Amino acid sequence: MIRNHQDLERLREQGHKSLWPDRGKIVVGTASCGLAAGSRAVARKLDQAAREYELDQEVSGTGCLGFCSQEPLVEVRRADGLRVVYPQVDEARAEELAAGLAQGDLSPELAMCRWREASHPTTRYELAAEEIPLQQQIGFYRRQQRVVLRNCGLIDPGSVAEYVSCGGYSGLLATLSTDPENIVETVSRAGLRGRGGAGFPTGRKWGFTRQEPGTRKCVICNADEGDPGAYMDRSILEGDPHAVIEGMAIGAYAIGADEGYIYVRAEYPLAVQRIQEALDQAEELGLLGEGILGSDFSFRLQVKTGAGAFVCGEETALIASIEGRRGMPRPRPPFPAQSGLWGRPTNVNNVETWANVPPILSRGAEWFAETGTSGSSGTKVFSLVGKIKNSGLVEVPMGITIRELVYEVGGGTPDGGRCKAVQTGGPSGGCIPESLFDTPIDFDSLREVGAMMGSGGLVVLGESACMVDMARYFLKFTQGESCGQCPGCRLGTKRMLEILIRITEGRGQEEDLLLLEELATGVREASLCGLGRTAPNPVLTTLRYFKHEYETHVRDRRCPAGVCRALVVYHIDPERCLGCGACRAACPQGAISGEPKKPHTIDPQRCVRCGSCIEACLVEAVKPG
Amino acid sequence: MVEALRSEARLFRDLPAEHEATLIPSLQQLQKEYGYLPPDELQRVAAELGIPHSRVHGVASFYSQFTDTPRGKHTVQVCLGTACHVGGGKGIRDALTQVLGIRPGETTPDGAITLEEVHCLGCCSLAPVIVVDGVAYGRNDRKKALHTLLECCDQESPGS
C-alpha cells in the first residue's frame, strides 16, 4: 500500500531500476500499431536470440513511440540513459541486432536515432552511438514536444512502478493536500481546453460540476474515440494507462466526485485490457479506492466497454450507454454537470484531456501555459496519416502551422508529389486546401476556415484523392451512424448522401450543388447533437475549396483523380506496358488481353474498375482516366 | 427562476434504475459466448432485469457489436477508416466480397467466414488494415489480405 511520500519514493526507486536496469534492456513497441506490423513475432525472436547469444539484456514491451510507419520499432536501452531506436525490425533484423549486441556492437547502420545524449562518452557503446543521429536531429521528432505522450514508448505500461519513476502519482499526492477549489483554479490558469474536439475550457467545466449540489458526483473518461483516422486515445491508454487514472483521480478530488467510469470503444480490445490491468494495480496499491494515499479521499473507477456506436462519443449518448440504454443524445440543458449519469452531476473529459492533468499539477500551470498559443495552450497530439512519408502520432505545440506539420514533421508525400489537402477532425471536420496550409493549428483558427480540430486526426490527401469521394465517404459514415431521433440528421444526411452518390456516379445535375448547400445548412441548424450539427462540414468545405472538382463531375462526367468508378475508364499505356501479363492474371473479370511481351489492352465493357491491375502492374502502365 | 427550471428539467428526465447498467455487459457476454444473441436468452435477460423485452431488443439492435445471426468460425474485418479508405481498403473489401461471395455483415453458407466492415481500428499508419479473428494485419493489398485470411483459416483457431 502507498500511503505517503516515502512509500511513493520507494516505488519510484523500484521503478527506476526496472526502467534503467544495470544490464540494460531491449524494448519492443507492442501497442496495437506495432502488433499489426508484426512486433509480436519480433519480440519472440529477440527473446529467443537473447538466450541464444547469452545477452544480459532482458526483452520487454512498451507503448507507441509515435513513428508508426517505421514499426516494428525496437529500442536498445542502457542504464546510463542511452536509448537507441531501430526501425522496421523484422525477424531477420532482430537476429542481426542480437548478434551485434553479443559483440558489444550497437549496429549503427540499422539504427534510426538515439534518444538522449549519452552521459559517459567514453565507453565503446557511446563511441559507437555517436554515429547515430539524436532524436531531435531527425525531422519527425525535431518539432515535437512530448507532454501527453511523455511515457509512451518509454515505460512498460503494465508497470505502475515505472510510471511512478517518471514522476507519476506525485501530482495526485500534491493534490490531496491542496484545497479542491485551488486545483480547479490551477487547471483553469493552465488554460487547458478539452482535447475531444469542442475545446471547452476544462477548468470551467470542472467548476460547473463542483458547484452543483449533491453528495454523489461522477467523472467520466470518454475513450470512445470514433473519428476514423484518429488514434491518440488508444495509444495513451495502451502506452500510459496510469496517466489517465491519475488525471481522473485529481479531477474527481477537485470536483468532489466519488466514482468514475472509463468508456472505451469495443474496437480497442488491447486498450481495454491495459487500462483494466492498470486499474487493478492502482487499487491494490491504494492509489484508488478508499482513503487514497493515506487521505480521506475515496474514489472508485470502472471500465465500461462500448458496443459499437459512433454517436456514443457525444457525452449525453455516452451517459445513456453506461446507463444501459440506446446511445441516443438528449437535449441540453440539463447539462451533464447538472444531471448526468443517473441524474448525478457528471463531468466528462476525453482521454487526452485527462492525461494532460497530472503534469499540470506536478509541474505547474505556468509551465503548461508556456507552450502553445494564448487561446490554446499546451500541446496537441495528431495522428498524421494518409499520403505522408513520416506517418504516426505526433505531439506538437498548439499554433504550429499545417505546412510545418505536413512538410517538416511529416516529410511531405511519400513520392514527393503535391499534397492537395488535409482532412482534420474526422466526419465533423473538413478538408483544408494546400493554399491555406499556413493556418496555425489551434481551436479557433481551424474553425475559421470551416474545419475543426476534432480529436486530432489529420489525414493528408494527395493528387490521387477525389474530394467529392471524400465528402461522400464521410456522409456515408455519419448517415450510417446517425441515431435517427431527429429528422434533420436522419433524413438530411440521407438526402445529402443520395446527391453525392448521384454525382460520383455521373448522374449529377448542376442544381444538385445548390441543393447540397441548402440541405447542409438545414442539417446543421435542425440537428440536436454535435454529430448532426457538424455532419455537413466535409461537404461544405469541399464545396467551398474544391468546387471545380464537383463541377467536373457534374458537367464533364469526369473524375479527375480517377477514384469515382463510374466515371473512370482504365487504359494501359502501350509505351510503358512490358506485356508481362501480371495485370491479365490479376484481373478477376478476364477483361485484359494481350500477347506475351506485347502491350496489353483492357475491354471497357467487362472491366469493373476494381483496380487489381493497377496494383499488379510493375511499371505503372495502367492508368485511370 | 433558473434554479426552479433546472430542478424541473431534472425531474423530466426519465432515469433508468442503476441495475439496468448491466444490460449491455450481459448482451456482450452472450454475444461472446454464442457468437450472436439467441432470442431465448434475450427473453431471459429481460425477465432477470425486470424490463420489457422491447427495451432489450431496442438496445441489442442499436449497437453494431450485436448480431442476431450466428457468426462464422472465423471473422475477417476490413478497416474502412479514413486512412484505409484513402489507402485502398475498399479494393480489399471488394476482393473479399467477390472471393467469398458474401456481402459485408454476412457469413459464408458453410459457416466458415464472416465478413465485416469496421471504421478505424487505430492503426492508420499501417493502412490498409484487416483484422482476422481479433489479430490486426497492416500494410495490405488484395493479394496479401487474401493470403493472410487463408493462413488464418488453415491454422486451427487457438480456442479449438
Side-chain angles (χ1 to χ4, degrees):
Chain A
M1 289 293 268
I2 310 286
R3 292 184 191 285
N4 50 37
H5 181 70
Q6 285 78 16
D7 292 345
L8 202 61
E9 201 50 44
R10 263 196 296 279
L11 193 61
R12 182 201 303 264
E13 277 166 29
Q14 192 189 322
H16 188 82
K17 277 191 194 127
S18 97
L19 198 56
W20 307 102
D22 292 340
R23 298 173 306 173
K25 65 197 230 175
I26 303 171
V27 191
V28 185
T30 48
S32 286
C33 39
L35 292 174
S39 70
R40 199 177 276 117
V42 172
R44 217 179 297 129
K45 183 78 196 172
L46 278 169
D47 212 28
Q48 189 193 332
R51 263 177 283 134
E52 227 167 83
Y53 291 102
E54 296 176 350
L55 297 182
D56 291 338
Q57 297 98 326
E58 56 169 314
V59 179
S60 69
T62 187
C64 177
L65 266 176
F67 210 156
C68 306
S69 54
Q70 298 295 329
E71 292 277 8
L73 290 168
V74 171
E75 177 192 315
V76 172
R77 187 182 298 171
R78 300 222 325 136
D80 54 19
L82 176 70
R83 299 167 66 192
V84 182
V85 180
Y86 300 86
Q88 301 191 15
V89 180
D90 54 12
E91 290 181 63
R93 210 170 258 195
E95 171 91 35
E96 201 179 330
L97 201 58
L101 287 175
Q103 306 293 320
D105 177 10
L106 275 173
S107 311
E109 70 285 0
L110 298 180
M112 175 170 82
C113 64
R114 68 192 146 111
W115 208 259
R116 205 196 283 172
E117 288 265 35
S119 43
H120 314 286
T122 46
T123 68
R124 55 192 175 141
Y125 267 111
E126 277 84 2
L127 282 177
E130 268 178 358
E131 298 172 36
I132 304 166
L134 279 165
Q135 150 252 346
Q136 58 263 41
Q137 287 170 331
I138 66 171
F140 182 71
Y141 287 114
R142 193 178 298 136
R143 299 294 298 264
Q144 291 201 47
Q145 207 170 322
R146 290 166 73 95
V147 175
V148 174
L149 301 176
R150 59 197 177 276
N151 297 326
C152 286
L154 174 66
I155 64 169
D156 173 357
S159 163
V160 59
E162 291 193 10
Y163 175 69
V164 170
S165 82
C166 297
Y169 289 108
S170 61
L172 178 61
L173 188 69
T175 296
L176 296 178
S177 55
T178 314
D179 180 29
E181 195 70 59
N182 284 348
I183 304 294
V184 176
E185 197 268 328
T186 304
V187 173
S188 294
R189 202 150 32 87
L192 177 63
R193 291 173 68 172
R195 300 299 196 237
F200 193 82
T202 306
R204 258 174 74 199
K205 202 174 193 180
W206 287 14
F208 290 149
T209 316
R210 179 173 162 70
Q211 281 162 18
E212 281 297 310
T215 47
R216 299 201 64 187
K217 296 180 185 175
C218 297
V219 290
I220 293 177
C221 172
N222 183 348
D224 193 47
E225 184 176 50
D227 284 5
Y231 60 99
M232 56 290 297
D233 293 350
R234 170 185 71 64
S235 204
I236 296 166
L237 288 175
E238 286 176 2
D240 196 13
H242 284 285
V244 178
I245 297 174
E246 188 185 354
M248 290 185 79
I250 293 170
Y253 174 81
I255 288 162
D258 64 340
E259 62 177 333
Y261 293 88
I262 303 174
Y263 186 91
V264 193
R265 74 195 276 250
E267 289 85 345
Y268 288 172
L270 187 64
V272 173
Q273 185 197 327
R274 296 240 169 108
I275 190 76
Q276 187 62 57
E277 283 167 8
L279 273 188
D280 296 343
Q281 282 174 352
E283 262 174 33
E284 217 169 279
L285 289 171
L287 298 164
L288 283 176
E290 302 287 316
I292 292 171
L293 285 165
S295 72
D296 53 8
F297 170 58
S298 298
F299 177 54
R300 287 178 305 113
L301 195 51
Q302 280 183 49
V303 177
K304 285 273 175 187
T305 318
F310 173 72
V311 69
C312 287
E314 200 279 342
E315 57 181 10
T316 59
L318 189 153
I319 288 170
S321 182
I322 296 180
E323 289 172 340
R325 298 188 291 171
R326 289 162 74 93
M328 306 222 275
R330 59 165 179 81
R332 296 175 299 183
F335 287 92
Q338 301 151 347
S339 172
L341 191 61
W342 293 301
R344 293 170 200 157
T346 303
N347 180 83
V348 187
N349 284 124
N350 92 324
V351 175
E352 193 182 337
T353 315
W354 287 121
N356 262 304
V357 171
I360 292 177
L361 271 299
S362 60
R363 304 182 70 170
E366 286 66 29
W367 166 83
F368 186 84
E370 266 169 28
T371 310
T373 64
S374 58
S376 307
S377 60
T379 58
K380 177 77 190 86
V381 185
F382 290 94
S383 48
L384 192 55
V385 296
K387 292 277 179 243
I388 187 94
K389 199 168 140 208
N390 304 333
S391 100
L393 272 192
V394 301
E395 183 173 354
V396 286
M398 292 267 194
I400 190 171
T401 65
I402 300 173
R403 192 177 304 282
E404 288 167 326
L405 196 56
V406 169
Y407 290 100
E408 288 184 35
V409 180
T413 56
D415 54 7
R418 200 175 81 90
C419 171
K420 186 150 104 180
V422 291
Q423 204 284 334
T424 68
S428 311
C431 293
I432 303 171
E434 207 263 350
S435 57
L436 290 175
F437 273 14
D438 291 316
T439 309
I441 303 180
D442 58 59
F443 291 107
D444 311 309
S445 306
L446 287 180
R447 208 165 282 159
E448 270 165 37
V449 296
M452 68 185 265
M453 176 100 76
S455 48
L458 215 143
V459 185
V460 179
L461 305 171
E463 292 290 5
S464 61
C466 166
M467 305 314 279
V468 187
D469 173 70
M470 284 314 290
R472 187 200 53 82
Y473 167 80
F474 282 114
L475 246 289
K476 180 162 183 275
F477 180 82
T478 34
Q479 189 268 325
E481 295 292 342
S482 167
C483 79
Q485 69 179 328
C486 42
C489 174
R490 182 182 69 235
L491 303 175
T493 55
K494 180 88 178 160
R495 295 288 95 84
M496 286 175 78
L497 178 62
E498 282 166 1
I499 296 173
L500 287 164
I501 290 177
R502 206 151 71 210
I503 296 174
T504 53
E505 288 182 351
R507 296 179 286 113
Q509 302 298 322
E510 198 81 16
E511 47 290 5
D512 279 343
L513 304 186
L514 283 173
L515 190 55
L516 258 184
E517 276 197 78
E518 202 179 310
L519 276 167
T521 317
V523 171
R524 187 163 58 189
E525 284 169 11
S527 298
L528 171 67
C529 79
L531 186 146
R533 276 205 301 268
T534 57
N537 283 350
V539 178
L540 287 173
T541 49
T542 46
L543 268 175
R544 179 164 160 195
Y545 300 119
F546 298 94
K547 194 154 198 177
H548 54 280
E549 290 201 22
Y550 281 86
E551 286 167 352
T552 315
H553 281 71
V554 172
R555 288 181 196 156
D556 311 337
R557 305 276 184 244
R558 214 164 54 76
C559 173
V563 173
C564 300
R565 283 185 192 169
L567 303 179
V568 168
V569 180
Y570 284 10
H571 62 270
I572 298 175
D573 181 351
E575 302 281 306
R576 288 195 151 206
C577 180
L578 306 171
C580 71
C583 57
R584 196 180 54 215
C587 180
Q589 297 294 311
I592 301 180
S593 55
E595 301 272 312
K597 299 195 178 161
K598 289 197 181 137
H600 284 38
T601 50
I602 301 176
D603 175 1
Q605 299 301 318
R606 292 170 97 174
C607 174
V608 293
R609 304 160 193 101
C610 68
S612 299
C613 48
I614 296 186
E615 226 167 63
C617 183
L618 306 169
V619 292
E620 292 179 20
V622 190
K623 290 189 182 118
Chain B
M1 192 59 221
V2 176
E3 280 309 310
L5 254 178
R6 187 173 293 163
S7 54
E8 276 302 298
R10 199 169 293 159
L11 285 177
F12 273 104
R13 277 198 62 202
D14 101 85
L15 291 167
E18 274 191 44
H19 75 273
E20 289 178 31
T22 58
L23 174 57
I24 293 173
S26 307
L27 297 181
Q28 285 171 325
Q29 187 55 37
L30 289 174
Q31 178 75 41
K32 199 172 151 196
E33 214 169 293
Y34 292 93
Y36 74 113
L37 299 179
D40 302 354
E41 293 284 343
L42 292 188
Q43 295 279 13
R44 185 182 58 77
V45 170
E48 273 177 16
L49 290 173
I51 54 175
H53 181 242
S54 60
R55 280 252 342 252
V56 176
H57 184 77
V59 169
S61 58
F62 184 82
Y63 296 98
S64 63
Q65 194 184 21
F66 304 126
T67 55
D68 52 9
T69 47
R71 273 161 181 276
K73 194 170 162 215
H74 300 280
T75 301
V76 55
Q77 298 170 306
V78 182
C79 183
L80 290 175
T82 319
C84 291
H85 173 78
V86 175
K90 219 163 56 169
I92 292 173
R93 181 206 53 201
D94 292 347
L96 287 171
T97 305
Q98 194 176 22
V99 173
L100 300 174
I102 49 171
R103 281 175 306 193
E106 294 179 348
T107 303
T108 51
D110 63 353
I113 298 168
T114 300
L115 175 64
E116 282 181 348
E117 283 176 5
V118 286
H119 284 287
C120 202
L121 299 152
C123 304
C124 312
S125 294
L126 302 168
V129 176
I130 63 163
V131 176
V132 184
D133 297 335
V135 181
Y137 301 87
R139 299 182 182 125
N140 286 286
D141 53 22
R142 290 176 181 78
K143 198 167 135 194
K144 192 178 161 200
L146 292 175
H147 278 277
T148 306
L149 179 59
L150 186 64
E151 262 173 48
C152 294
C153 291
D154 281 344
Q155 281 169 6
E156 274 303 289
S157 48
S160 58

